[in-house]
Amino acid sequence: MLDGKWTTLVVRELLTGPKRFGELRDALGSPSPKTLTDRLRSLEHQGILTRTVYAEVPPRVVYELTEQGASLTAVLHAMLVWGEQHPHP
């Protein structure tokens, strides 16, 4: 579920709340638009996040974690703790 280079980082960024595509891209260090789009579509398909399109000009798209996606908080926290306890030499 959390496969791919950017997937875990996308989930981490969305833990703080809904974000637009550009906000996510900037926060992640500017992955290519295609890569980020692929990761977002995959997470949406898996039920980890929702994509809401607002009928505005220009269109506004907002990504937000679902309840299932938010439940990954404990997993990401455990990864953080493990990484802090086992630093890479």
Side-chain angles (χ1 to χ4, degrees), residues 3-89:
D3 64 337
K5 181 176 178 181
W6 298 99
T7 307
T8 304
L9 298 175
V10 167
V11 173
R12 181 198 68 190
E13 288 304 318
L14 291 174
L15 285 173
T16 61
K19 302 255 187 319
R20 295 179 69 177
F21 186 89
E23 293 173 316
L24 282 170
R25 189 164 183 235
D26 291 345
L28 296 173
S30 299
S32 74
K34 182 189 181 321
T35 299
L36 183 53
T37 298
D38 289 346
R39 295 296 175 251
L40 290 167
R41 285 184 182 157
S42 174
L43 290 167
E44 182 182 16
H45 179 71
Q46 294 172 20
I48 301 299
L49 62 81
T50 59
R51 178 180 184 265
T52 305
V53 181
Y54 294 92
E56 300 174 353
V57 178
R60 179 171 51 114
V61 180
V62 175
Y63 297 92
E64 184 173 13
L65 290 178
T66 61
E67 187 175 319
Q68 180 181 352
S71 72
L72 291 169
T73 301
V75 173
L76 294 179
H77 181 70
M79 290 170 65
L80 170 68
V81 170
W82 187 91
E84 289 172 342
Q85 292 174 351
H86 302 88
H88 187 44

